[in-house]
Amino acid sequence: MAEDIWQVLAKAKYLDWEKHSTERLWRMESLKEACETALQEHHFLTGTLEEDSNRSDNEYSEQIKLLSEVFSQATVADTPTDVPDYLCCQITFEIFRDPVITPSGVTYERAVLVEHLHKVGNFDPVTREPLKEHQLVPNLAIKEAVQAYLKEHSWAHKLN
């Protein structure tokens, strides 16, 4: 049941991000176009808009280039990329929801590791060292890191 709740919440957060991201990107593009137009008008009115627009060393071209870089950087958090490996389970390759750390220092998703212990055997799937369920400790540092990452990168909710 907890898994179902988590899935519904993740989907809702992703859909919320998708809606707001589309709106933000549209507003950013409109603002970028307005800035480019204002910059062009400024250089036209001041007489600094050079006739030879193929030259890349003129002030207007440099400002347009810088403006594009600024707007590109502003959209980085809204651009889906690969989630850092340390935030993902080594078995499922999904973002952690309930990470636990084993005595050997490897972090796994609790439900997946418990299933492994019950179905496959009482050993760590990576290190093969003996392991019992009572030895699992919540990895609160990773859990907080995942929460911080998801707060900044809501698109990552879709990966689960």
Side-chain angles (χ1 to χ4, degrees):
M1 185 166 164
E3 175 67 20
D4 293 339
I5 292 170
W6 204 98
Q7 290 289 338
V8 169
L9 283 174
K11 184 176 181 179
K13 288 181 180 183
Y14 174 79
L15 291 174
D16 183 60
W17 165 81
E18 191 174 45
K19 176 183 178 242
H20 288 98
S21 176
T22 301
E23 292 169 359
R24 272 191 305 275
L25 290 174
W26 183 85
R27 287 194 317 263
M28 292 278 280
E29 189 58 37
S30 296
L31 180 59
K32 180 182 175 192
E33 289 173 7
C35 289
E36 288 172 345
T37 300
L39 191 59
Q40 185 177 21
E41 288 175 6
H42 167 75
H43 281 278
F44 177 76
L45 293 174
T46 59
T48 56
L49 187 63
E50 296 189 17
E51 295 289 325
D52 186 5
S53 60
N54 292 330
R55 286 185 49 198
S56 61
D57 61 344
N58 68 48
E59 183 181 12
Y60 171 72
S61 294
E62 289 297 318
Q63 289 176 339
I64 287 291
K65 183 178 173 183
L66 181 60
L67 190 63
S68 287
E69 290 173 14
V70 167
F71 278 92
S72 290
Q73 286 297 316
T75 61
V76 165
D78 260 353
T79 305
T81 60
D82 290 333
V83 176
D85 289 341
Y86 70 93
L87 299 177
C88 298
C89 177
Q90 292 185 25
I91 298 173
T92 65
F93 301 108
E94 292 182 356
I95 294 177
F96 286 116
R97 296 175 206 144
D98 185 15
V100 292
I101 191 164
T102 63
S104 62
V106 181
T107 300
Y108 300 98
E109 180 61 36
R110 179 186 299 276
V112 173
L113 184 55
V114 168
E115 182 180 351
H116 165 82
L117 294 174
H118 291 280
K119 290 184 177 179
V120 180
N122 288 320
F123 61 91
D124 186 307
V126 171
T127 66
R128 310 304 260 189
E129 293 179 21
L131 180 64
K132 300 278 187 183
E133 189 172 344
H134 73 275
Q135 294 176 290
L136 305 179
V137 178
N139 192 332
L140 300 178
I142 291 294
K143 190 169 189 163
E144 287 180 24
V146 166
Q147 289 169 348
Y149 187 84
L150 288 174
K151 186 176 182 182
E152 292 294 318
H153 304 92
S154 295
W155 53 262
H157 283 285
K158 185 174 185 169
L159 302 176
N160 286 313

